[in-house]
Every structure is written in structure tokens, then in C-alpha cells.
């Protein structure tokens, strides 16, 4: 299997973390891209979206996003099957606090979350989400959720007690407590580079 663990992380190199196989990386990248395409399209259908949020090509073109892929090693007659996808990443956003004051921030965002229909309500989503929280070292209340589906809103309420939202003017949903001791309250630091013999910040 190209996915060595129950939950595997994939970033923009499209090589699953921990992959030790002998196969050429070109082949692995193609297989991972196909998985992301299929799961992204299924997620879009489930949410009633015209265009998929997640695909292999989209993952290739961004640096700060991570896809968490949940695998059932015994599915598909023992061949293994992918049953869940959770994509997160930092985004530069203007978010309103409880009194309507805008704040420029770069929070961790939930960008796509999908568990195949036949495996929903069986703990798969919780396992996937918990793995992500540990991997990103983030408290659920500090997440900004991009266009959450009713199912995701229900999931966050049931498992993490996230109920009260702070109204926003964009597609993101944040919950009460988001601004309290927020660990990432400032824009991402600029990167330094040497250009034409001079130090620049970009």
C-alpha cells in the first residue's frame, strides 16, 4: 500500500509521510493524486459544491496545506481502501471578533473534510480529526472552518462542544473562544531572501 499507516499525511510533494516503498516516486505521486481527485470530487458532491476543493493538482500548487488521509487496511477485500480525507492549511484572513472589530490573522483552517457515506457515524471522522489536532498541535476552538456543511457543524458541536459562532463576512466560520489566548494572532512572518546581493523580506 502507498499509505503505510491508518492515517497518512500528504503535503505538496504528494508522497505520503513514512512511505518506504521501492516504487518510483512518479508512480506514487500519480496514485496519491488520483486518490485526492476521487475523494475531493466525492466531498464536493456530498456538500453540493460545483467544484472540488481538493485535488492532486491543487495540492501540488500550495506549500502550506496538509491532507490527512484515513485508510481502512482491510477494506476492498483486503487490498485497502481510503475512507476519509481532511485537508487543513493556514490562510491569511480578516476575521471579526465579538464586537465586529476586524483582525488580520493566519489561523489554521479546515478546508475540506469528508468520510465516505458507508463509514460515517462509525468513529472514522473522529479518529481522523483527532489525528489532525495532534499533528497540527491545535485546539479545535482556534480553527477557522471554510464553508462547513451541516454535518460538520453537527460533528464539531457533538465532539468538541463548539456551538456559538462569531458572525463573519467571508465563508469562514469561527466559534466563541477563537480569540481567547489565540496562539496565532498575528500575520505570518515575512521570509527573508537575498536578491541582487541585497536582503529582502517577501
Amino acid at each position: 500500500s502507498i499509505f503505510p499507516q491508518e492515517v497518512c499525511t500528504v503535503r505538496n510533494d504528494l508522497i505520503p509521510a513514512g512511505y518506504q516503498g521501492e516504487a518510483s516516486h512518479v508512480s506514487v505521486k500519480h496514485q496519491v493524486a488520483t486518490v485526492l481527485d476521487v475523494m475531493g470530487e466525492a466531498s464536493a458532491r456530498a456538500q453540493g459544491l460545483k467544484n472540488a476543493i481538493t485535488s492532486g493538482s491543487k495540492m501540488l500548487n500550495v506549500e502550506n496545506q496538509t491532507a490527512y488521509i484515513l485508510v481502512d487496511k482491510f477494506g476492498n477485500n483486503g487490498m485497502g481502501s481510503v475512507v476519509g480525507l481532511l485537508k487543513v492549511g493556514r490562510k491569511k484572513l480578516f476575521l471579526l471578533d465579538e464586537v465586529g472589530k476586524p483582525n488580520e490573522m493566519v489561523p489554521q483552517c479546515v478546508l475540506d473534510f469528508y468520510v465516505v457515506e458507508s463509514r460515517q457515524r462509525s468513529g472514522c471522522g473522529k479518529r481522523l480529526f483527532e489525528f489532525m489536532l495532534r499533528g497540527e498541535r491545535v485546539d479545535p476552538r482556534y480553527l477557522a472552518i471554510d464553508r462547513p456543511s451541516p454535518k460538520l457543524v453537527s460533528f464539531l458541536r457533538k465532539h468538541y462542544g463548539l456551538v456559538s459562532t462569531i458572525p463573519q463576512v467571508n465563508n469562514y466560520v469561527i466559534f466563541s473562544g477563537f480569540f481567547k489566548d489565540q496562539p496565532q494572532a498575528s500575520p505570518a512572518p515575512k521570509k527573508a531572501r537575498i536578491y541582487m546581493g541585497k536582503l529582502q523580506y517577501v
Side-chain angles (χ1 to χ4, degrees):
S1 171
I2 56 171
F3 299 115
Q5 289 104 23
E6 183 189 32
V7 180
C8 287
T9 56
V10 172
R11 295 188 172 83
N12 67 336
D13 60 0
L14 297 190
I15 298 172
Y19 176 75
Q20 301 286 341
E22 297 297 319
S24 87
H25 280 179
V26 173
S27 170
V28 172
K29 287 182 177 186
H30 180 71
Q31 290 178 68
V32 171
T34 300
V35 167
L36 292 170
D37 289 347
V38 171
M39 292 298 283
E41 286 167 13
S43 177
R45 278 197 305 275
Q47 296 179 67
L49 302 175
K50 288 182 180 177
N51 300 309
I53 301 165
T54 302
S55 69
S57 61
K58 285 180 178 175
M59 281 298 294
L60 268 175
N61 291 318
V62 290
E63 286 189 3
N64 60 346
Q65 294 183 5
T66 304
Y68 290 83
I69 296 173
L70 179 65
V71 176
D72 177 2
K73 289 192 175 255
F74 304 104
N76 195 22
N77 296 320
M79 301 278 289
S81 59
V82 174
V83 296
L85 166 74
L86 173 56
K87 185 171 77 170
V88 298
R90 292 198 176 274
K91 293 263 187 175
K92 186 175 180 179
L93 301 173
F94 286 92
L95 297 170
L96 305 180
D97 62 18
E98 286 90 345
V99 296
K101 177 172 164 280
N103 297 265
E104 184 180 359
M105 307 177 75
V106 190
Q108 188 64 262
C109 302
V110 173
L111 305 171
D112 204 357
F113 186 31
Y114 173 71
V115 173
V116 297
E117 278 76 4
S118 63
R119 302 301 297 273
Q120 291 176 10
R121 299 185 182 279
S122 66
C124 288
K126 180 83 183 317
R127 280 207 302 284
L128 185 53
F129 211 86
E130 285 289 322
F131 191 97
M132 179 277 292
L133 292 175
R134 288 194 301 272
E136 302 297 330
R137 296 189 179 91
V138 64
D139 186 297
R141 69 182 164 145
Y142 295 138
L143 294 168
I145 321 291
D146 187 13
R147 287 174 292 197
S149 66
K151 282 185 179 178
L152 179 49
V153 170
S154 171
F155 173 90
L156 294 170
R157 180 174 60 239
K158 176 183 175 183
H159 295 296
Y160 303 106
L162 297 174
V163 180
S164 302
T165 60
I166 303 172
Q168 301 299 311
V169 293
N170 51 30
N171 290 323
Y172 285 83
V173 168
I174 60 173
F175 292 90
S176 181
F178 179 88
F179 291 97
K180 185 173 169 49
D181 305 321
Q182 167 69 254
Q184 282 289 335
S186 58
K190 292 185 176 182
K191 294 178 182 176
R193 71 171 183 178
I194 302 294
Y195 180 71
M196 301 290 284
K198 293 180 181 177
L199 183 65
Q200 288 186 341
Y201 290 92
V202 294

